[in-house]
Amino acid sequence: MKLKVASFNIFHCEDYLKEKIDFDAFAELISSLDADVVGLNEVHGNGDWEEYEPQAEILGAKTGYNSFFAKATELDGTNPFGNAVLTRKAIRSVEVIPIPDPEPKKYDGYYETRCVLKMKIENPDFTVLITHFGLNPDEQENAVNTILANLEEERCVLMGDLNVRPDDKALLPIRERMLDTASASDEALLSFPSDLPDRKIDYIFTSKDIKTLKVEVPDKVLSDHLPITAEIEF
């Protein structure tokens, strides 16, 4: 069976160039990807601040997809922020797995609590993990360890903004167990920043029993990231 999956850091539905939240534009772009499963990063949940609306639910309603929001943290203690999924497929189960904060924190950079959204899909049955790595190496190490503890050896897709370039050693443990869909393309698949991309930090990995037929980064500038899509076959 063939499927199409996509990963997209949506920058909390803010138009990167116009600097305003635009649900209709993001829904239109997501629909244009024509993917069966879309993993989203930097998603707001329903909170106290005006701009903290249930974005996954809103996008799901506008696209006709099933949706689920996975809270990673609460900004200012009341405003949920995390990952989400939109899918045409039925969701059999879903789990939000916290990524432990490094203790002690080894670097001076910005730290933010992250999570992994783990979802099992029906017809066909497969597992999807959606995550967003922190910026510091100790955060990334904890993220990789959390992913490795929750990977399935068969029919498993991992996607997200991993905040590291392809040659970063942080990805080595994942590369030992999974395949990077980027290998199906001769392009560099640069995804950030969207208007003048100079680096690849958004990824789709699969378990080794899944074949990648095609992978691309559509040139659709809306978020500060470009989406990445992969056509896969079980």
Side-chain angles (χ1 to χ4, degrees):
M1 178 177 284
K2 297 177 182 179
L3 291 169
K4 190 175 186 183
V5 297
S7 181
F8 190 21
N9 181 324
I10 62 170
F11 194 49
H12 54 270
C13 284
E14 181 177 317
D15 185 312
Y16 176 54
L17 301 180
K18 297 179 180 178
E19 298 185 342
K20 66 176 185 177
I21 288 177
D22 190 337
F23 292 119
D24 288 337
F26 275 88
E28 182 179 354
L29 193 161
I30 289 167
S31 294
S32 75
L33 301 177
D34 194 29
D36 298 286
V37 180
V38 185
L40 305 177
N41 306 127
E42 294 195 14
V43 185
H44 286 176
N46 205 25
D48 288 348
W49 294 348
E50 182 179 355
E51 68 268 26
Y52 274 76
E53 300 180 83
Q55 294 187 335
E57 184 179 331
I58 292 169
L59 291 174
K62 288 182 177 293
T63 58
Y65 281 58
N66 298 315
S67 66
F68 183 86
F69 170 69
K71 181 181 73 174
T73 189
E74 289 185 338
L75 303 182
D76 200 35
T78 58
N79 299 291
F81 190 66
N83 305 301
V85 65
L86 301 176
T87 177
R88 293 170 174 164
K89 299 292 184 179
I91 300 173
R92 180 155 54 95
S93 66
V94 65
E95 183 179 3
V96 181
I97 303 163
I99 296 173
D101 292 328
E103 291 295 345
K105 295 177 174 62
K106 300 177 183 177
Y107 301 90
D108 294 329
Y110 172 72
Y111 281 81
E112 183 178 280
T113 302
R114 306 294 171 113
C115 75
V116 177
L117 189 167
K118 183 174 183 177
M119 176 183 61
K120 293 187 180 294
I121 296 287
E122 290 183 343
N123 191 30
D125 295 345
F126 68 107
T127 302
V128 177
L129 278 70
I130 299 163
T131 194
H132 183 193
F133 282 12
L135 299 173
N136 299 287
D138 50 352
E139 289 181 291
Q140 294 163 4
E141 181 181 358
N142 284 3
V144 169
N145 289 337
T146 303
I147 288 166
L148 295 177
N150 287 279
L151 281 181
E152 306 292 341
E153 296 298 332
E154 298 178 344
R155 291 194 167 196
C156 188
V157 176
L158 166 67
M159 64 175 84
D161 170 6
L162 304 189
N163 271 318
V164 293
R165 301 186 190 223
D167 60 353
D168 197 295
K169 65 180 182 181
L171 294 179
L172 289 176
I174 292 174
R175 294 191 183 282
E176 289 176 359
R177 293 182 57 181
M178 305 193 83
L179 301 174
D180 189 344
T181 58
S183 63
S185 174
D186 293 330
E187 303 294 327
L189 302 175
L190 306 178
S191 60
F192 182 85
S194 58
D195 54 342
L196 291 169
D198 62 9
R199 72 202 75 173
K200 172 181 170 59
I201 57 175
D202 297 275
Y203 295 84
I204 301 173
F205 287 91
T206 71
S207 53
K208 294 181 179 180
D209 59 337
I210 297 176
K211 181 180 180 180
T212 299
L213 304 174
K214 183 179 181 181
V215 60
E216 60 184 353
V217 173
D219 185 19
K220 296 178 180 289
V221 180
L222 184 59
S223 166
D224 61 339
H225 289 245
L226 296 173
I228 178 173
T229 67
E231 295 176 24
I232 60 175
E233 184 175 35
F234 296 117

